Amino acid sequence: MSTLEMELALARTVQSNGQHYSLEKLANHTLQKAFVVIGINTAFSSRKRRDSLRQTWMPKGEKLRKLEKEKGIVIRFVIGHSATPGGVLDRAVDSEDAEHKDFLRLKHVEGYHELSTKTRLYFSTAVSIWDAEFYLKVDDDVHLNLGMLTSTLAKYRSKPRIYIGCMKSGPVLSQKEDKYYEPEYRKFGEDGNKYFRHATGQLYAISKDLAAYISINSPILHRYANEDVSLGSWLLGLEVEHVDERSMCCGTPPGIQINHTTFLTVLIFSSS
């Protein structure tokens, strides 16, 4: 993607966040270079999960800054704000961020049914701050092996428009009682049909041209009920290489339900 398009992505994101800068100031805005931005999707109720990651694979304090400076690996917990901005939930995260300085705060109201919007805003915000080769989203109950992860991504750094993850094509669920119910199931054809192939939502990465595309087109990207389906739909009609990277899968076949404890123990990227 051209430099001009990247600048447009930045301008769109800045304007959508309610901030207005002159073209001269935008031109002088220097993005921080990085190899990969790792956004850890988290919630207000997930303090224990965040502490678990800080105690295992995620560096803290000066070590986190050193990883950014020397390796170009940026790691942030991604969270928005509560329905009552400035309330007790927001203040708790403010305090935690003041201590650890490892959050990326979004102008977004947190909620399980708003994950597609949050994902879209995460990529838009990240490309306005960092000029990275890859932008990765991971859930806060996933433990990563950073060495394995960066080696995997490095294999694809010379290729444009890359979408990497554990690809699946699960059933479109049309019953309201189903956890992953799809209200727009009729768009996918007859009952029993499957989704197009897309990466599972626990962990995936896209190249910077795709992140910029999401930022530029953010207002018109449709959001389905499930965040991983939404991302797959945004990229479906583009000249994108879908990489089914099995090292980014857990030990359970895609489409099989697994509980939280099992997921942490079977994921190939889990910390030792």
Side-chain angles (χ1 to χ4, degrees), residues 111-144:
Y112 180 78
H113 296 293
E114 298 297 329
L115 288 178
S116 292
T117 299
K118 184 177 181 179
T119 299
R120 191 177 64 177
L121 187 54
Y122 158 59
F123 287 123
S124 296
T125 303
V127 298
S128 74
I129 301 172
W130 295 283
D131 178 15
E133 296 183 51
F134 297 97
Y135 297 83
L136 182 142
K137 177 263 177 181
V138 61
D139 287 341
D140 61 8
D141 58 356
V142 175
H143 286 228
L144 298 178

PDB file of all heavy atoms in Angstrom, residues 111-144:
ATOM      1  N   GLY A 111     -18.199  -4.271  25.472  1.00  0.00           N
ATOM      2  CA  GLY A 111     -19.363  -5.158  25.504  1.00  0.00           C
ATOM      3  C   GLY A 111     -19.105  -6.350  24.604  1.00  0.00           C
ATOM      4  O   GLY A 111     -18.505  -6.211  23.523  1.00  0.00           O
ATOM      5  N   TYR A 112     -19.528  -7.544  25.033  1.00  0.00           N
ATOM      6  CA  TYR A 112     -19.257  -8.762  24.268  1.00  0.00           C
ATOM      7  C   TYR A 112     -19.813  -8.674  22.855  1.00  0.00           C
ATOM      8  O   TYR A 112     -19.193  -9.151  21.898  1.00  0.00           O
ATOM      9  CB  TYR A 112     -19.831  -9.985  24.986  1.00  0.00           C
ATOM     10  CG  TYR A 112     -19.590 -11.272  24.242  1.00  0.00           C
ATOM     11  CD1 TYR A 112     -18.349 -11.906  24.284  1.00  0.00           C
ATOM     12  CD2 TYR A 112     -20.595 -11.856  23.461  1.00  0.00           C
ATOM     13  CE1 TYR A 112     -18.112 -13.076  23.589  1.00  0.00           C
ATOM     14  CE2 TYR A 112     -20.373 -13.033  22.768  1.00  0.00           C
ATOM     15  CZ  TYR A 112     -19.128 -13.641  22.829  1.00  0.00           C
ATOM     16  OH  TYR A 112     -18.902 -14.796  22.130  1.00  0.00           O
ATOM     17  N   HIS A 113     -20.974  -8.059  22.708  1.00  0.00           N
ATOM     18  CA  HIS A 113     -21.604  -7.990  21.393  1.00  0.00           C
ATOM     19  C   HIS A 113     -21.053  -6.842  20.546  1.00  0.00           C
ATOM     20  O   HIS A 113     -21.566  -6.572  19.460  1.00  0.00           O
ATOM     21  CB  HIS A 113     -23.119  -7.848  21.551  1.00  0.00           C
ATOM     22  CG  HIS A 113     -23.757  -9.043  22.198  1.00  0.00           C
ATOM     23  ND1 HIS A 113     -23.802 -10.274  21.593  1.00  0.00           N
ATOM     24  CD2 HIS A 113     -24.345  -9.198  23.416  1.00  0.00           C
ATOM     25  CE1 HIS A 113     -24.397 -11.143  22.395  1.00  0.00           C
ATOM     26  NE2 HIS A 113     -24.743 -10.511  23.508  1.00  0.00           N
ATOM     27  N   GLU A 114     -20.014  -6.182  21.046  1.00  0.00           N
ATOM     28  CA  GLU A 114     -19.388  -5.088  20.300  1.00  0.00           C
ATOM     29  C   GLU A 114     -17.971  -5.430  19.869  1.00  0.00           C
ATOM     30  O   GLU A 114     -17.180  -4.553  19.545  1.00  0.00           O
ATOM     31  CB  GLU A 114     -19.365  -3.818  21.165  1.00  0.00           C
ATOM     32  CG  GLU A 114     -20.733  -3.296  21.551  1.00  0.00           C
ATOM     33  CD  GLU A 114     -21.548  -2.861  20.343  1.00  0.00           C
ATOM     34  OE1 GLU A 114     -20.956  -2.411  19.342  1.00  0.00           O
ATOM     35  OE2 GLU A 114     -22.787  -2.974  20.394  1.00  0.00           O
ATOM     36  N   LEU A 115     -17.639  -6.720  19.854  1.00  0.00           N
ATOM     37  CA  LEU A 115     -16.269  -7.118  19.547  1.00  0.00           C
ATOM     38  C   LEU A 115     -15.873  -6.808  18.104  1.00  0.00           C
ATOM     39  O   LEU A 115     -14.713  -6.500  17.825  1.00  0.00           O
ATOM     40  CB  LEU A 115     -16.069  -8.606  19.831  1.00  0.00           C
ATOM     41  CG  LEU A 115     -16.022  -9.003  21.314  1.00  0.00           C
ATOM     42  CD1 LEU A 115     -15.859 -10.509  21.454  1.00  0.00           C
ATOM     43  CD2 LEU A 115     -14.889  -8.281  22.030  1.00  0.00           C
ATOM     44  N   SER A 116     -16.814  -6.896  17.175  1.00  0.00           N
ATOM     45  CA  SER A 116     -16.486  -6.565  15.782  1.00  0.00           C
ATOM     46  C   SER A 116     -16.100  -5.095  15.658  1.00  0.00           C
ATOM     47  O   SER A 116     -15.144  -4.739  14.963  1.00  0.00           O
ATOM     48  CB  SER A 116     -17.665  -6.891  14.866  1.00  0.00           C
ATOM     49  OG  SER A 116     -17.879  -8.288  14.786  1.00  0.00           O
ATOM     50  N   THR A 117     -16.861  -4.232  16.329  1.00  0.00           N
ATOM     51  CA  THR A 117     -16.533  -2.805  16.322  1.00  0.00           C
ATOM     52  C   THR A 117     -15.192  -2.568  16.992  1.00  0.00           C
ATOM     53  O   THR A 117     -14.373  -1.773  16.514  1.00  0.00           O
ATOM     54  CB  THR A 117     -17.636  -2.010  17.052  1.00  0.00           C
ATOM     55  OG1 THR A 117     -18.865  -2.194  16.366  1.00  0.00           O
ATOM     56  CG2 THR A 117     -17.291  -0.529  17.088  1.00  0.00           C
ATOM     57  N   LYS A 118     -14.943  -3.257  18.092  1.00  0.00           N
ATOM     58  CA  LYS A 118     -13.684  -3.088  18.812  1.00  0.00           C
ATOM     59  C   LYS A 118     -12.494  -3.524  17.957  1.00  0.00           C
ATOM     60  O   LYS A 118     -11.458  -2.855  17.931  1.00  0.00           O
ATOM     61  CB  LYS A 118     -13.720  -3.894  20.119  1.00  0.00           C
ATOM     62  CG  LYS A 118     -12.488  -3.714  20.988  1.00  0.00           C
ATOM     63  CD  LYS A 118     -12.617  -4.475  22.299  1.00  0.00           C
ATOM     64  CE  LYS A 118     -11.401  -4.270  23.183  1.00  0.00           C
ATOM     65  NZ  LYS A 118     -11.536  -5.005  24.476  1.00  0.00           N
ATOM     66  N   THR A 119     -12.653  -4.623  17.253  1.00  0.00           N
ATOM     67  CA  THR A 119     -11.567  -5.106  16.389  1.00  0.00           C
ATOM     68  C   THR A 119     -11.274  -4.116  15.275  1.00  0.00           C
ATOM     69  O   THR A 119     -10.113  -3.810  14.982  1.00  0.00           O
ATOM     70  CB  THR A 119     -11.953  -6.469  15.789  1.00  0.00           C
ATOM     71  OG1 THR A 119     -12.145  -7.411  16.848  1.00  0.00           O
ATOM     72  CG2 THR A 119     -10.877  -6.973  14.834  1.00  0.00           C
ATOM     73  N   ARG A 120     -12.308  -3.620  14.661  1.00  0.00           N
ATOM     74  CA  ARG A 120     -12.158  -2.619  13.600  1.00  0.00           C
ATOM     75  C   ARG A 120     -11.439  -1.377  14.122  1.00  0.00           C
ATOM     76  O   ARG A 120     -10.518  -0.856  13.474  1.00  0.00           O
ATOM     77  CB  ARG A 120     -13.541  -2.257  13.070  1.00  0.00           C
ATOM     78  CG  ARG A 120     -13.570  -1.434  11.813  1.00  0.00           C
ATOM     79  CD  ARG A 120     -15.002  -1.211  11.361  1.00  0.00           C
ATOM     80  NE  ARG A 120     -15.767  -0.419  12.329  1.00  0.00           N
ATOM     81  CZ  ARG A 120     -17.018  -0.028  12.153  1.00  0.00           C
ATOM     82  NH1 ARG A 120     -17.669  -0.395  11.064  1.00  0.00           N
ATOM     83  NH2 ARG A 120     -17.643   0.699  13.044  1.00  0.00           N
ATOM     84  N   LEU A 121     -11.825  -0.927  15.299  1.00  0.00           N
ATOM     85  CA  LEU A 121     -11.218   0.261  15.883  1.00  0.00           C
ATOM     86  C   LEU A 121      -9.788  -0.003  16.344  1.00  0.00           C
ATOM     87  O   LEU A 121      -8.929   0.883  16.268  1.00  0.00           O
ATOM     88  CB  LEU A 121     -12.070   0.752  17.053  1.00  0.00           C
ATOM     89  CG  LEU A 121     -11.676   2.092  17.687  1.00  0.00           C
ATOM     90  CD1 LEU A 121     -11.605   3.191  16.634  1.00  0.00           C
ATOM     91  CD2 LEU A 121     -12.668   2.471  18.783  1.00  0.00           C
ATOM     92  N   TYR A 122      -9.520  -1.209  16.810  1.00  0.00           N
ATOM     93  CA  TYR A 122      -8.150  -1.563  17.201  1.00  0.00           C
ATOM     94  C   TYR A 122      -7.190  -1.404  16.027  1.00  0.00           C
ATOM     95  O   TYR A 122      -6.146  -0.756  16.147  1.00  0.00           O
ATOM     96  CB  TYR A 122      -8.086  -2.994  17.742  1.00  0.00           C
ATOM     97  CG  TYR A 122      -6.714  -3.608  17.665  1.00  0.00           C
ATOM     98  CD1 TYR A 122      -5.625  -3.026  18.315  1.00  0.00           C
ATOM     99  CD2 TYR A 122      -6.480  -4.754  16.902  1.00  0.00           C
ATOM    100  CE1 TYR A 122      -4.346  -3.581  18.219  1.00  0.00           C
ATOM    101  CE2 TYR A 122      -5.216  -5.317  16.808  1.00  0.00           C
ATOM    102  CZ  TYR A 122      -4.148  -4.727  17.469  1.00  0.00           C
ATOM    103  OH  TYR A 122      -2.888  -5.270  17.354  1.00  0.00           O
ATOM    104  N   PHE A 123      -7.530  -2.000  14.883  1.00  0.00           N
ATOM    105  CA  PHE A 123      -6.641  -1.896  13.728  1.00  0.00           C
ATOM    106  C   PHE A 123      -6.501  -0.445  13.266  1.00  0.00           C
ATOM    107  O   PHE A 123      -5.399   0.014  12.942  1.00  0.00           O
ATOM    108  CB  PHE A 123      -7.145  -2.775  12.582  1.00  0.00           C
ATOM    109  CG  PHE A 123      -6.937  -4.239  12.807  1.00  0.00           C
ATOM    110  CD1 PHE A 123      -8.004  -5.128  12.782  1.00  0.00           C
ATOM    111  CD2 PHE A 123      -5.670  -4.744  13.027  1.00  0.00           C
ATOM    112  CE1 PHE A 123      -7.821  -6.483  12.991  1.00  0.00           C
ATOM    113  CE2 PHE A 123      -5.463  -6.107  13.243  1.00  0.00           C
ATOM    114  CZ  PHE A 123      -6.545  -6.973  13.228  1.00  0.00           C
ATOM    115  N   SER A 124      -7.601   0.288  13.253  1.00  0.00           N
ATOM    116  CA  SER A 124      -7.561   1.690  12.822  1.00  0.00           C
ATOM    117  C   SER A 124      -6.680   2.524  13.741  1.00  0.00           C
ATOM    118  O   SER A 124      -5.904   3.371  13.283  1.00  0.00           O
ATOM    119  CB  SER A 124      -8.976   2.276  12.788  1.00  0.00           C
ATOM    120  OG  SER A 124      -9.774   1.627  11.832  1.00  0.00           O
ATOM    121  N   THR A 125      -6.790   2.288  15.028  1.00  0.00           N
ATOM    122  CA  THR A 125      -5.993   3.042  15.990  1.00  0.00           C
ATOM    123  C   THR A 125      -4.522   2.643  15.916  1.00  0.00           C
ATOM    124  O   THR A 125      -3.628   3.493  15.952  1.00  0.00           O
ATOM    125  CB  THR A 125      -6.530   2.822  17.415  1.00  0.00           C
ATOM    126  OG1 THR A 125      -7.911   3.191  17.464  1.00  0.00           O
ATOM    127  CG2 THR A 125      -5.751   3.646  18.429  1.00  0.00           C
ATOM    128  N   ALA A 126      -4.267   1.341  15.811  1.00  0.00           N
ATOM    129  CA  ALA A 126      -2.885   0.858  15.788  1.00  0.00           C
ATOM    130  C   ALA A 126      -2.108   1.413  14.597  1.00  0.00           C
ATOM    131  O   ALA A 126      -0.948   1.827  14.737  1.00  0.00           O
ATOM    132  CB  ALA A 126      -2.864  -0.663  15.782  1.00  0.00           C
ATOM    133  N   VAL A 127      -2.733   1.470  13.410  1.00  0.00           N
ATOM    134  CA  VAL A 127      -2.004   1.972  12.241  1.00  0.00           C
ATOM    135  C   VAL A 127      -1.788   3.477  12.313  1.00  0.00           C
ATOM    136  O   VAL A 127      -0.964   4.017  11.585  1.00  0.00           O
ATOM    137  CB  VAL A 127      -2.706   1.614  10.909  1.00  0.00           C
ATOM    138  CG1 VAL A 127      -2.793   0.121  10.724  1.00  0.00           C
ATOM    139  CG2 VAL A 127      -4.080   2.258  10.804  1.00  0.00           C
ATOM    140  N   SER A 128      -2.506   4.159  13.198  1.00  0.00           N
ATOM    141  CA  SER A 128      -2.302   5.598  13.351  1.00  0.00           C
ATOM    142  C   SER A 128      -1.159   5.906  14.315  1.00  0.00           C
ATOM    143  O   SER A 128      -0.724   7.058  14.421  1.00  0.00           O
ATOM    144  CB  SER A 128      -3.584   6.269  13.854  1.00  0.00           C
ATOM    145  OG  SER A 128      -3.813   6.006  15.229  1.00  0.00           O
ATOM    146  N   ILE A 129      -0.662   4.873  15.019  1.00  0.00           N
ATOM    147  CA  ILE A 129       0.406   5.062  16.001  1.00  0.00           C
ATOM    148  C   ILE A 129       1.692   4.377  15.570  1.00  0.00           C
ATOM    149  O   ILE A 129       2.780   4.945  15.688  1.00  0.00           O
ATOM    150  CB  ILE A 129      -0.032   4.511  17.377  1.00  0.00           C
ATOM    151  CG1 ILE A 129      -1.300   5.223  17.860  1.00  0.00           C
ATOM    152  CG2 ILE A 129       1.092   4.675  18.414  1.00  0.00           C
ATOM    153  CD1 ILE A 129      -1.901   4.607  19.118  1.00  0.00           C
ATOM    154  N   TRP A 130       1.558   3.150  15.049  1.00  0.00           N
ATOM    155  CA  TRP A 130       2.737   2.359  14.697  1.00  0.00           C
ATOM    156  C   TRP A 130       2.737   2.012  13.210  1.00  0.00           C
ATOM    157  O   TRP A 130       1.712   1.648  12.640  1.00  0.00           O
ATOM    158  CB  TRP A 130       2.770   1.056  15.488  1.00  0.00           C
ATOM    159  CG  TRP A 130       2.936   1.247  16.956  1.00  0.00           C
ATOM    160  CD1 TRP A 130       4.076   1.546  17.643  1.00  0.00           C
ATOM    161  CD2 TRP A 130       1.901   1.138  17.958  1.00  0.00           C
ATOM    162  NE1 TRP A 130       3.823   1.632  18.990  1.00  0.00           N
ATOM    163  CE2 TRP A 130       2.502   1.386  19.215  1.00  0.00           C
ATOM    164  CE3 TRP A 130       0.540   0.848  17.898  1.00  0.00           C
ATOM    165  CZ2 TRP A 130       1.776   1.365  20.404  1.00  0.00           C
ATOM    166  CZ3 TRP A 130      -0.196   0.827  19.075  1.00  0.00           C
ATOM    167  CH2 TRP A 130       0.424   1.082  20.309  1.00  0.00           C
ATOM    168  N   ASP A 131       3.885   2.112  12.604  1.00  0.00           N
ATOM    169  CA  ASP A 131       4.110   1.650  11.233  1.00  0.00           C
ATOM    170  C   ASP A 131       4.725   0.267  11.340  1.00  0.00           C
ATOM    171  O   ASP A 131       5.945   0.109  11.340  1.00  0.00           O
ATOM    172  CB  ASP A 131       5.030   2.613  10.490  1.00  0.00           C
ATOM    173  CG  ASP A 131       5.328   2.149   9.064  1.00  0.00           C
ATOM    174  OD1 ASP A 131       4.615   1.252   8.570  1.00  0.00           O
ATOM    175  OD2 ASP A 131       6.283   2.686   8.459  1.00  0.00           O
ATOM    176  N   ALA A 132       3.898  -0.743  11.461  1.00  0.00           N
ATOM    177  CA  ALA A 132       4.361  -2.110  11.688  1.00  0.00           C
ATOM    178  C   ALA A 132       4.194  -2.954  10.430  1.00  0.00           C
ATOM    179  O   ALA A 132       3.381  -2.648   9.559  1.00  0.00           O
ATOM    180  CB  ALA A 132       3.590  -2.742  12.843  1.00  0.00           C
ATOM    181  N   GLU A 133       4.955  -4.029  10.371  1.00  0.00           N
ATOM    182  CA  GLU A 133       4.799  -4.957   9.256  1.00  0.00           C
ATOM    183  C   GLU A 133       3.574  -5.849   9.452  1.00  0.00           C
ATOM    184  O   GLU A 133       2.941  -6.252   8.476  1.00  0.00           O
ATOM    185  CB  GLU A 133       6.062  -5.808   9.106  1.00  0.00           C
ATOM    186  CG  GLU A 133       7.303  -4.992   8.734  1.00  0.00           C
ATOM    187  CD  GLU A 133       8.519  -5.869   8.517  1.00  0.00           C
ATOM    188  OE1 GLU A 133       8.408  -6.847   7.738  1.00  0.00           O
ATOM    189  OE2 GLU A 133       9.570  -5.591   9.123  1.00  0.00           O
ATOM    190  N   PHE A 134       3.258  -6.134  10.716  1.00  0.00           N
ATOM    191  CA  PHE A 134       2.104  -6.963  11.023  1.00  0.00           C
ATOM    192  C   PHE A 134       1.352  -6.388  12.224  1.00  0.00           C
ATOM    193  O   PHE A 134       1.946  -5.771  13.112  1.00  0.00           O
ATOM    194  CB  PHE A 134       2.521  -8.405  11.360  1.00  0.00           C
ATOM    195  CG  PHE A 134       3.182  -9.135  10.234  1.00  0.00           C
ATOM    196  CD1 PHE A 134       4.560  -9.214  10.159  1.00  0.00           C
ATOM    197  CD2 PHE A 134       2.428  -9.740   9.241  1.00  0.00           C
ATOM    198  CE1 PHE A 134       5.184  -9.885   9.118  1.00  0.00           C
ATOM    199  CE2 PHE A 134       3.033 -10.409   8.194  1.00  0.00           C
ATOM    200  CZ  PHE A 134       4.414 -10.479   8.131  1.00  0.00           C
ATOM    201  N   TYR A 135       0.044  -6.620  12.220  1.00  0.00           N
ATOM    202  CA  TYR A 135      -0.806  -6.250  13.351  1.00  0.00           C
ATOM    203  C   TYR A 135      -1.532  -7.516  13.774  1.00  0.00           C
ATOM    204  O   TYR A 135      -2.208  -8.155  12.959  1.00  0.00           O
ATOM    205  CB  TYR A 135      -1.788  -5.156  12.957  1.00  0.00           C
ATOM    206  CG  TYR A 135      -1.095  -3.874  12.552  1.00  0.00           C
ATOM    207  CD1 TYR A 135      -0.612  -3.719  11.252  1.00  0.00           C
ATOM    208  CD2 TYR A 135      -0.895  -2.839  13.462  1.00  0.00           C
ATOM    209  CE1 TYR A 135       0.056  -2.562  10.872  1.00  0.00           C
ATOM    210  CE2 TYR A 135      -0.234  -1.675  13.088  1.00  0.00           C
ATOM    211  CZ  TYR A 135       0.240  -1.545  11.790  1.00  0.00           C
ATOM    212  OH  TYR A 135       0.896  -0.410  11.423  1.00  0.00           O
ATOM    213  N   LEU A 136      -1.389  -7.876  15.031  1.00  0.00           N
ATOM    214  CA  LEU A 136      -1.898  -9.147  15.522  1.00  0.00           C
ATOM    215  C   LEU A 136      -2.916  -8.914  16.625  1.00  0.00           C
ATOM    216  O   LEU A 136      -2.766  -8.016  17.453  1.00  0.00           O
ATOM    217  CB  LEU A 136      -0.730  -9.992  16.040  1.00  0.00           C
ATOM    218  CG  LEU A 136      -1.033 -11.394  16.557  1.00  0.00           C
ATOM    219  CD1 LEU A 136       0.099 -12.354  16.155  1.00  0.00           C
ATOM    220  CD2 LEU A 136      -1.185 -11.413  18.082  1.00  0.00           C
ATOM    221  N   LYS A 137      -3.947  -9.713  16.638  1.00  0.00           N
ATOM    222  CA  LYS A 137      -4.950  -9.689  17.702  1.00  0.00           C
ATOM    223  C   LYS A 137      -4.936 -11.043  18.383  1.00  0.00           C
ATOM    224  O   LYS A 137      -4.916 -12.097  17.738  1.00  0.00           O
ATOM    225  CB  LYS A 137      -6.336  -9.380  17.126  1.00  0.00           C
ATOM    226  CG  LYS A 137      -7.465  -9.402  18.169  1.00  0.00           C
ATOM    227  CD  LYS A 137      -8.179 -10.735  18.183  1.00  0.00           C
ATOM    228  CE  LYS A 137      -9.268 -10.793  19.270  1.00  0.00           C
ATOM    229  NZ  LYS A 137      -9.946 -12.123  19.288  1.00  0.00           N
ATOM    230  N   VAL A 138      -4.940 -11.027  19.720  1.00  0.00           N
ATOM    231  CA  VAL A 138      -4.951 -12.258  20.494  1.00  0.00           C
ATOM    232  C   VAL A 138      -5.838 -12.040  21.720  1.00  0.00           C
ATOM    233  O   VAL A 138      -5.944 -10.930  22.235  1.00  0.00           O
ATOM    234  CB  VAL A 138      -3.508 -12.669  20.914  1.00  0.00           C
ATOM    235  CG1 VAL A 138      -2.857 -11.597  21.785  1.00  0.00           C
ATOM    236  CG2 VAL A 138      -3.489 -14.020  21.611  1.00  0.00           C
ATOM    237  N   ASP A 139      -6.488 -13.095  22.176  1.00  0.00           N
ATOM    238  CA  ASP A 139      -7.324 -13.001  23.366  1.00  0.00           C
ATOM    239  C   ASP A 139      -6.477 -13.082  24.626  1.00  0.00           C
ATOM    240  O   ASP A 139      -5.365 -13.624  24.617  1.00  0.00           O
ATOM    241  CB  ASP A 139      -8.371 -14.117  23.365  1.00  0.00           C
ATOM    242  CG  ASP A 139      -9.478 -13.887  22.346  1.00  0.00           C
ATOM    243  OD1 ASP A 139      -9.638 -12.732  21.903  1.00  0.00           O
ATOM    244  OD2 ASP A 139     -10.183 -14.860  21.995  1.00  0.00           O
ATOM    245  N   ASP A 140      -7.030 -12.570  25.735  1.00  0.00           N
ATOM    246  CA  ASP A 140      -6.238 -12.498  26.963  1.00  0.00           C
ATOM    247  C   ASP A 140      -6.180 -13.808  27.734  1.00  0.00           C
ATOM    248  O   ASP A 140      -5.599 -13.860  28.831  1.00  0.00           O
ATOM    249  CB  ASP A 140      -6.731 -11.363  27.873  1.00  0.00           C
ATOM    250  CG  ASP A 140      -8.171 -11.531  28.330  1.00  0.00           C
ATOM    251  OD1 ASP A 140      -8.758 -12.594  28.070  1.00  0.00           O
ATOM    252  OD2 ASP A 140      -8.704 -10.588  28.948  1.00  0.00           O
ATOM    253  N   ASP A 141      -6.759 -14.883  27.193  1.00  0.00           N
ATOM    254  CA  ASP A 141      -6.600 -16.201  27.813  1.00  0.00           C
ATOM    255  C   ASP A 141      -5.649 -17.081  27.004  1.00  0.00           C
ATOM    256  O   ASP A 141      -5.623 -18.301  27.161  1.00  0.00           O
ATOM    257  CB  ASP A 141      -7.951 -16.899  28.001  1.00  0.00           C
ATOM    258  CG  ASP A 141      -8.722 -17.072  26.695  1.00  0.00           C
ATOM    259  OD1 ASP A 141      -8.250 -16.585  25.645  1.00  0.00           O
ATOM    260  OD2 ASP A 141      -9.805 -17.692  26.722  1.00  0.00           O
ATOM    261  N   VAL A 142      -4.858 -16.448  26.153  1.00  0.00           N
ATOM    262  CA  VAL A 142      -3.903 -17.159  25.306  1.00  0.00           C
ATOM    263  C   VAL A 142      -2.489 -16.769  25.739  1.00  0.00           C
ATOM    264  O   VAL A 142      -2.178 -15.586  25.857  1.00  0.00           O
ATOM    265  CB  VAL A 142      -4.108 -16.818  23.824  1.00  0.00           C
ATOM    266  CG1 VAL A 142      -3.029 -17.474  22.972  1.00  0.00           C
ATOM    267  CG2 VAL A 142      -5.496 -17.231  23.365  1.00  0.00           C
ATOM    268  N   HIS A 143      -1.652 -17.762  25.947  1.00  0.00           N
ATOM    269  CA  HIS A 143      -0.261 -17.521  26.303  1.00  0.00           C
ATOM    270  C   HIS A 143       0.611 -17.777  25.072  1.00  0.00           C
ATOM    271  O   HIS A 143       0.563 -18.850  24.487  1.00  0.00           O
ATOM    272  CB  HIS A 143       0.172 -18.431  27.451  1.00  0.00           C
ATOM    273  CG  HIS A 143      -0.389 -18.009  28.770  1.00  0.00           C
ATOM    274  ND1 HIS A 143       0.381 -17.904  29.906  1.00  0.00           N
ATOM    275  CD2 HIS A 143      -1.643 -17.643  29.139  1.00  0.00           C
ATOM    276  CE1 HIS A 143      -0.374 -17.499  30.919  1.00  0.00           C
ATOM    277  NE2 HIS A 143      -1.610 -17.341  30.473  1.00  0.00           N
ATOM    278  N   LEU A 144       1.400 -16.792  24.697  1.00  0.00           N
ATOM    279  CA  LEU A 144       2.193 -16.862  23.472  1.00  0.00           C
ATOM    280  C   LEU A 144       3.648 -17.228  23.738  1.00  0.00           C
ATOM    281  O   LEU A 144       4.208 -16.881  24.776  1.00  0.00           O
ATOM    282  CB  LEU A 144       2.169 -15.516  22.747  1.00  0.00           C
ATOM    283  CG  LEU A 144       0.822 -14.995  22.258  1.00  0.00           C
ATOM    284  CD1 LEU A 144       1.010 -13.627  21.611  1.00  0.00           C
ATOM    285  CD2 LEU A 144       0.194 -15.960  21.280  1.00  0.00           C
TER     286      LEU A 144
END
